[in-house]
Amino acid sequence: MSKRTRVVIVLIVVELLLAGGWFWLHNLALTSSHASADSTRVIGQAFGAAMGIVAALSPVLYLVARRNDLKGR
């Protein structure tokens, strides 16, 4: 398996884990009687920022992996 493929798979897995964590915490905040009214907004902002950072870094990581694949030939 090439490094490019591994990078893509890892990025997809990280994004899915972040989405799953957001979904779980969002549902937990909705069903909890102790959660404040702003908790769902804060959870959404935090997980959205994390997912945005991962999405923003993914082209750079892919290009580095591509360069390393081509260098190895």
Side-chain angles (χ1 to χ4, degrees):
M1 187 178 328
S2 70
K3 291 179 183 177
R4 284 184 273 191
T5 308
R6 281 185 271 171
V7 165
V8 170
I9 290 171
V10 166
L11 288 172
I12 290 171
V13 167
V14 167
E15 287 284 342
L16 287 174
L17 286 173
L18 284 170
W22 169 81
F23 185 73
W24 177 66
L25 282 176
H26 185 76
N27 283 336
L28 191 66
L30 286 177
T31 59
S32 175
S33 62
H34 302 293
S36 69
D38 288 336
S39 61
T40 56
R41 181 185 56 83
V42 171
I43 291 168
Q45 285 179 345
F47 276 86
M51 291 177 78
I53 289 170
V54 170
L57 290 177
S58 61
V60 174
L61 294 173
Y62 179 79
L63 291 174
V64 169
R66 180 177 166 254
R67 183 178 52 111
N68 287 340
D69 275 346
L70 296 175
K71 190 188 293 186
R73 290 184 182 176

